[in-house]
Amino acid sequence: MSANSAQSFGQAEAASKAGSATPIIEIVDLQKWFGSFQALKNINLTVKTGERIVICGPSGSGKSTLIRCINRLEEYQDGRLLVDGIDLSAGTKNIDAVRAEVGMVFQQFNLFPHLTVVENCMLAPMKVRRANKNEARDTAMKYLTRVRIPDQADKYPAQLSGGQQQRVAIARALCMSPKIMLFDEPTSALDPEMVKEVLETMIGLANDGMTMLCVTHEMGFARQVADRVIFMDQGEIVEQGEPHSFFANPQNERTRGFLGQILH
Amino acid sequence: MIRQFGLNEALFILSGIQATIALSLIAFAGGGLFGFVVALLRTAENKAVRRLAAAYIDFFQGTPLLMQLFLVFYGLPAFGVQVNQWVAVAIGLTLHASAFLGEIWRGSIQAVPLGQTEAARALGLHYKDRLVSVILPQAVRLSIAPTVGFLVQLIKGTSLAAIIGFVELSRSAQIVASTTYKPLLAYGLVAIFYFVLCFPLSRLSAMAERRLSVSR
């Protein structure tokens, strides 16, 4: 299996991405507390359409919390967050509409265990997009084929390996044709031999121009596909830059310490 | 005059089963319907709503069914609301069963991993679709055993309706026992009748659990 085999998730998106510099996510002075603990401090981040961002940092640094704010799985207390022009600060009225445009892949997969693989992929398009059963099934099979597990469509999640389950989770999110994909440590719960198949799927997605925010410690992935690497520590964005300079020449002491630990 | 314990006496006891079944069905239906609402309120996003539902559950779990039936039967007339036996017992059993079933189902809903709700939210599913398509199918499986356990308790609990005038299984046995002076026979028979009502339910529950667990 080569990295190329997972390609062509949507060439049209790739084409539109090159010339476009419109911000699809705008985060301004975001503050988030869990009780008295401040999980996010003064986060400012602008993401352009088609941009691929990798967020890394020690555990508890707020990186997962940050991307979970983007689809409002976490609420924040202060600041502004705009997704595709919709202000999430203004209340929860539009939240389901925003969530339909933002796909998310979780560390623990979170597939629905009572539904088959293809039903997992069909549920949201049918309920949210009002697709009929045949359309939803066609879409589901299209993306299951792209993550290379169409033959598992009628199995239940528990019958699949971790890597397969995570690829189903990616397909399930893609079935909603999201404008943004969020990955929350997608390979951290996987056995080592299954990390590659999931990363290859993500690389294919990146090559097709999907706007992606990935919380991951897979620095090889970051080097290969990221436009920008962000390092977070203690709820702050400490440093960011394009992968080459970020890895070769980190400016901040904390970044150097962290990279020293994970790059062995 | 002491009567002999014959077929007529046995049939008289058996006739009490009608009231027991009717009372049980009322309690299941009323308790199930309102219990579902209680469970939803108990797991609502609004904190005040959750607290209110919790207080409701605490009250009915913390007081005896006997007293709840008394309160409805004698309490409503005190407020000028005249109720007949059936209405009183229907209200009493419904309140009681809805609190217990609400709490059982609250537990089942919350036993579904949080990641399931998060995944459903992340896909843009609305509250109703999250509930109907994702949470409830998983919660139902978890709730079968405790639900049936409570329903069996409820069938037996309907015997308390005797004190506001119902002649159901227990009361009919009591009548026969006092006229024939054969309490062991009368109560032994009624125990068998209760067992015949309750045992199939327990078996049905075990079967349903096996069937629904296939997808895991």
Side-chain angles (χ1 to χ4, degrees):
Chain A
M1 282 197 287
S2 78
N4 292 335
S5 60
Q7 275 189 3
S8 64
F9 281 91
Q11 300 298 342
E13 290 167 47
S16 71
K17 163 221 161 190
S20 155
T22 41
I24 191 155
I25 300 173
E26 270 187 279
I27 301 173
V28 184
D29 288 332
L30 195 73
Q31 319 282 346
K32 156 90 187 159
W33 282 270
F34 288 110
S36 61
F37 172 74
Q38 188 165 7
L40 295 175
K41 300 170 190 165
N42 305 316
I43 300 292
N44 286 283
L45 179 64
T46 303
V47 181
K48 295 193 291 271
T49 303
E51 205 174 2
R52 282 121 5 170
I53 293 179
V54 164
I55 304 172
C56 60
S59 93
S61 60
K63 50 199 192 305
S64 289
T65 306
L66 174 59
I67 67 164
R68 286 163 60 87
C69 282
I70 293 170
N71 63 354
R72 201 66 184 263
L73 286 184
E74 298 287 351
E75 300 202 346
Y76 49 90
Q77 279 71 42
D78 201 11
R80 267 159 62 82
L81 205 165
L82 275 78
V83 176
D84 200 21
I86 299 173
D87 192 343
L88 294 189
S89 327
T92 53
K93 220 179 87 186
N94 295 320
I95 188 62
D96 286 330
V98 170
R99 282 173 178 158
E101 307 298 331
V102 181
M104 187 166 208
V105 175
F106 299 86
Q107 184 176 354
Q108 300 295 342
F109 328 136
N110 295 348
L111 294 176
F112 305 132
H114 60 296
L115 300 178
T116 62
V117 163
V118 71
E119 287 167 348
N120 262 276
C121 296
M122 291 162 65
L123 181 63
M126 287 173 67
K127 299 294 180 188
V128 180
R129 303 267 193 243
R130 304 274 159 222
N132 71 40
K133 205 165 184 173
N134 288 333
E135 291 165 2
R137 184 174 291 274
D138 289 348
T139 309
M141 289 313 296
K142 182 175 99 178
Y143 286 109
L144 286 173
T145 304
R146 290 195 181 171
V147 300
R148 301 194 308 279
I149 37 177
D151 47 326
Q152 312 285 343
D154 293 317
K155 289 192 180 168
Y156 285 94
Q159 297 170 283
L160 271 54
S161 73
Q164 289 173 325
Q165 289 192 47
Q166 194 60 299
R167 285 187 279 146
V168 173
I170 293 172
R172 177 175 71 176
L174 291 176
C175 283
M176 291 294 284
S177 311
K179 293 177 177 165
I180 302 164
M181 283 287 284
L182 308 173
F183 291 85
D184 190 1
E185 306 208 30
T187 57
S188 301
L190 295 175
D191 291 330
E193 72 271 23
M194 292 168 184
V195 169
K196 195 172 158 229
E197 64 189 58
V198 171
L199 288 180
E200 281 174 355
T201 307
M202 292 169 64
I203 291 166
L205 197 54
N207 288 341
D208 285 335
M210 177 64 78
T211 306
M212 293 165 71
L213 281 89
C214 312
V215 172
T216 180
H217 292 146
E218 295 293 336
M219 292 301 129
F221 171 79
R223 279 182 214 271
Q224 194 176 343
V225 305
D227 297 307
R228 194 163 22 139
V229 182
I230 291 175
F231 173 69
M232 289 183 70
D233 190 23
Q234 296 173 6
E236 296 170 303
I237 293 180
V238 174
E239 184 167 352
Q240 53 182 306
E242 55 90 22
H244 180 74
S245 63
F246 179 88
F247 290 114
N249 191 17
Q251 301 298 304
N252 190 287
E253 188 60 41
R254 285 189 275 177
T255 317
R256 282 198 290 270
F258 176 76
L259 289 177
Q261 277 172 342
I262 65 160
L263 294 178
H264 313 299
Chain B
M1 183 192 105
I2 299 174
R3 293 175 56 169
Q4 289 298 309
F5 196 106
L7 185 62
N8 279 339
E9 282 63 35
L11 287 176
F12 178 74
I13 293 178
L14 187 58
S15 72
I17 212 170
Q18 291 174 7
T20 293
I21 290 175
L23 291 167
S24 300
L25 289 179
I26 289 171
F28 285 9
L33 195 66
F34 287 91
F36 182 63
V37 175
V38 171
L40 291 188
L41 298 180
R42 191 68 185 80
T43 55
E45 286 180 14
N46 187 312
K47 207 173 185 174
V49 171
R50 284 204 307 269
R51 289 233 171 108
L52 202 69
Y56 177 87
I57 290 167
D58 285 341
F59 177 78
F60 287 101
Q61 284 197 340
T63 55
L65 174 58
L66 184 61
M67 199 212 69
Q68 292 159 14
L69 292 175
F70 272 142
L71 275 183
V72 174
F73 192 61
Y74 296 114
L76 287 181
F79 288 101
V81 185
Q82 291 305 321
V83 288
N84 71 26
Q85 277 182 326
W86 281 100
V87 175
V89 84
I91 293 174
L93 287 173
T94 295
L95 290 174
H96 177 80
S98 65
F100 276 86
L101 289 175
E103 184 67 356
I104 289 170
W105 294 341
R106 191 261 325 152
S108 308
I109 288 172
Q110 290 182 342
V112 176
L114 186 61
Q116 294 290 306
T117 304
E118 290 193 342
R121 274 178 204 263
L123 285 165
L125 290 169
H126 301 282
Y127 176 75
K128 195 204 100 200
D129 290 324
R130 292 202 298 268
L131 203 63
V132 172
S133 303
V134 177
I135 305 303
L136 290 184
Q138 300 183 59
V140 163
R141 198 186 60 85
L142 295 168
S143 70
I144 291 173
T147 300
V148 173
F150 175 72
L151 293 185
V152 166
Q153 291 287 338
L154 200 58
I155 290 176
K156 294 181 283 186
T158 57
S159 63
L160 291 172
I163 58 108
I164 57 173
F166 279 90
V167 181
E168 39 62 74
L169 263 183
S170 302
R171 178 77 185 125
S172 58
Q174 201 182 7
I175 290 168
V176 168
S178 64
T179 53
T180 61
Y181 285 90
K182 293 245 173 7
L184 194 61
L185 202 56
Y187 290 121
L189 201 58
V190 85
I192 291 171
F193 289 149
Y194 273 116
F195 185 80
V196 167
L197 276 183
C198 297
F199 182 66
L201 262 182
S202 308
R203 295 312 297 261
L204 214 66
S205 143
M207 258 172 57
E209 270 191 278
R210 270 199 303 278
R211 273 197 51 178
L212 286 170
S213 66
V214 170
S215 59
R216 274 273 181 176

